[in-house]
Amino acid sequence: MVRAALSGYDRAMIALPPLTRDLVLIGGGHSHALVLRRWAMDPLPGARLTLIDPGPVTAYSGMLPGYVAGHYAARDLQIDLVRLARRAGARLVIGRAEGIDKGARQVRVAGRAPIGFDVASLDIGVTSAMPELPGFAEHAVPVKPLGAFATRWEAFRRAPGPVAVIGGGVAGVELAMAMAHGLGRRAEVTVIEHGRALAGTSGRARTLLLARLQALGVTLIEGAEVAKVEAEALVLADGRRLPAALTVGAAGARAQGWLSETGLETKGGFLSVGETLQTSDPAIFAAGDCAEMLHAPRPKAGVFAVRQAPVLARNLRAALTGGRMRRYSPQRDYLKLISLGEKAAAAEKAGLALASHWLWRWKDRIDRRFMDKLSDLPPMPAPKPPRESAAGADPSAEPMCGGCGAKVGRGALKAALSGLTGAQRDDLEVLPGDDAALLRMGGARQVLSTDHLRAVTDDWSLMTRIACLHALGDVWAMGAQPQAALLTVILPRQSAELQQRAMAEIGAAAEAELTAAGAALIGGHSSMGSELTLGFSVTGLLERDPVTLGGARPGDALILTKPLGSGTILAAEMRGAAQGPDVAACWQAMLQPQGAASSILGPDARAMTDVTGFGLAGHLAAICEASGCGAAIDLGAVPMMQGAEALAAAGVKSTLWQDNRDGAGPVFGAAGQRGALLFDPQTAGGLLAAVPQEAAEELMTRLRAAGYPAARIGTVEALPGIRVA
């Protein structure tokens, strides 16, 4: 029997199990964070894991009072969902879930196409908002969700005023003590409770906490109803008016309103779950504070969310594989550790209570141990090196970056293109050095370009938008208006149903982005491969002569419309070394379309390009070469993305960086981390334009008014080469 030899590509494709099931985690609460960690240690082949959360980080509730009191920095209590998702091999969708269609098996997320699932789980926490209280939505902040409150507190404590806390339960009192300590008596703190404060605690614990409130100078008002919230005051039902520069809602936990519209059984607005943490729909689970355990009702406390995680992880896996479910049986009572403002804590259990500084140290160790589980993640296993390799091969080389970090270097590309003969038709003009061609049809002039990207994120909608704007950059750089586009998609190997879900998200995102740019999506092509790759072939219409690379003159000002750093940040994210907020800010920067910038710069620009794979230095070198000139860059004026300089200083570079450094030609003075970022490959980068000096100031004003973080970064010079100072 003769067997056909398999190519390396064929073997790789066979080794990849096709994706067949979608598991979607809605919310980055404590239970789901721990599920992600477990998944990272033992992923399920064939299952695609998605996490949906409004932000790149989520706050750990146990450390919030310590943060408010000033014992922790904001970063200390942040669970980095970007890093956690990367380590778990999950796609992170930053967006707010707004509903579930359990019949269609879809999650509705604000501003994007629905996300399909086979199995879903909710851990979205609760809210302490009071929508029924007049003025609360406009002038107050609920303590839950924690992220929004932490952001508000960070700004408030720089210029504090009187604080009013609505709610005299343990949560409200603990928060008030933390505020009083953190503000250091710079502002008065008042707690308002409609009934008896700390009614849910034992007599000894209540006495202890009330004494601590008094020692910190916190005013407690019991038996008082709040009538309304004003911008600088709180009005009580009896007419009293309490000054309040900050009003905080901490009066109990309320369910997120949309849960009652899912068609799932609820109790008090919370999702009803049984012993296996399944809701009334067996394919949908719930954990944490958003769930109500019918078999064992318990108060809303983080300890239950943490202890539900192992059972939830096992049962989600069972739901995906047809395995056996496990029961969750919560403890009847639990130890309550309550921060007392300073580095001291009170402990209560079974009616007993005591307070001391060593209890704070114990609580601090517990909290830090929990955070260490979710931040000090085990390294990703490195592929086993080959026994031998060809001369020049480096088995220890970093994995290839995504986006423009996966492009061919400028030097290799120039060498390959130098042998092409160029256009052979009268109706076609290939512009030297430009990434687009100019077509003439009758009296119309049309720009044609194409580009594709290896994925930098597994969020298909986000990646589609980035790839679309990246491809449109060549059209905008020539001063053209986008007209039409064809989409090219390579999907990872997966079942027909999952293909349909992915293509629905990709198609919706592509159409929305192109429509906003004034273009039409007219079709495309797809195939399956080892990883997600997205590309667009685009056309644009010109109403005036194209803006090309040639045409810059000595004395022209150089304007850049976007900051640098995406290649470095994305390389760090791929290695699990970037901070979630920096990655999210990078994604948002890439999503800023350059159409309006093109309209502003185009009429005056003598030369223009989009800054992408070759980095700022490489694309500026292309302008200089085509225009027969050089340039001077003011390194201090070049805008950088949040977190990019710190990563560059730590030695993080894209895999294309060295090719960009070698291919940029003579660049003098590019030192330090800022100098290194001049060669950083950008994905969906900004426009770089050479404009007359006399027009530069007005153009900068218009760009900034249009929302662009534009900067004047240098000057075109007569002498060849690029000088950096």
Side-chain angles (χ1 to χ4, degrees), residues 63-71 149 153 157 165 171-185 189 212-213 216 218 338-342 360:
M63 296 175 79
L64 181 71
Y67 161 71
V68 171
H71 307 318
F149 169 75
W153 176 256
R157 67 179 175 186
V165 178
V173 167
E174 185 179 30
L175 185 63
M177 291 187 291
M179 288 175 163
H181 180 84
L183 295 174
R185 307 258 181 170
V189 179
R212 183 60 187 158
L213 273 180
L216 285 166
V218 177
I338 305 165
S339 300
L340 299 177
E342 62 175 329
W360 161 265

Side-chain angles (χ1 to χ4, degrees), residues 593-609:
Q594 297 299 289
S598 173
S599 297
I600 292 169
L601 291 169
D604 289 285
R606 290 181 172 142
M608 190 158 64
T609 185

Side-chain angles (χ1 to χ4, degrees), residues 476-477 479 544 559-562 592-603 605 608 686-689 699 702-704 706-708 710:
W476 284 322
R544 55 178 180 269
I559 292 177
L560 179 66
T561 64
K562 272 191 184 182
Q592 186 178 35
Q594 297 299 289
S598 173
S599 297
I600 292 169
L601 291 169
M608 190 158 64
L687 297 178
L688 174 65
L699 292 172
R702 291 173 61 194
L703 285 167
R704 288 172 177 165
Y708 291 97

Side-chain angles (χ1 to χ4, degrees), residues 189-258:
V189 179
T190 303
V191 177
I192 303 95
E193 169 59 40
H194 69 87
R196 184 172 182 261
L198 299 167
T201 60
S202 66
R204 179 168 174 75
R206 185 174 189 273
T207 299
L208 189 156
L209 293 174
L210 289 178
R212 183 60 187 158
L213 273 180
Q214 186 176 15
L216 285 166
V218 177
T219 301
L220 174 63
I221 301 175
E222 298 180 281
E225 294 286 346
V226 178
K228 66 177 178 177
V229 181
E230 297 178 349
E232 296 292 334
L234 198 68
V235 180
L236 303 184
D238 60 11
R240 280 181 289 176
R241 200 166 176 274
L242 308 176
L246 175 66
T247 298
V248 178
R254 294 170 171 80
Q256 304 282 357
W258 63 267

Side-chain angles (χ1 to χ4, degrees), residues 443-483:
R445 290 182 295 179
Q446 187 182 51
V447 171
L448 171 65
S449 184
T450 187
D451 214 328
H452 68 275
L453 296 173
R454 181 172 183 253
V456 299
T457 170
D458 287 329
D459 178 353
W460 315 309
S461 179
L462 173 62
M463 190 61 226
T464 302
R465 295 177 63 198
I466 291 171
C468 181
L469 293 174
H470 181 84
L472 289 172
D474 291 330
V475 174
W476 284 322
M478 296 183 74
Q481 297 297 316
Q483 178 193 26

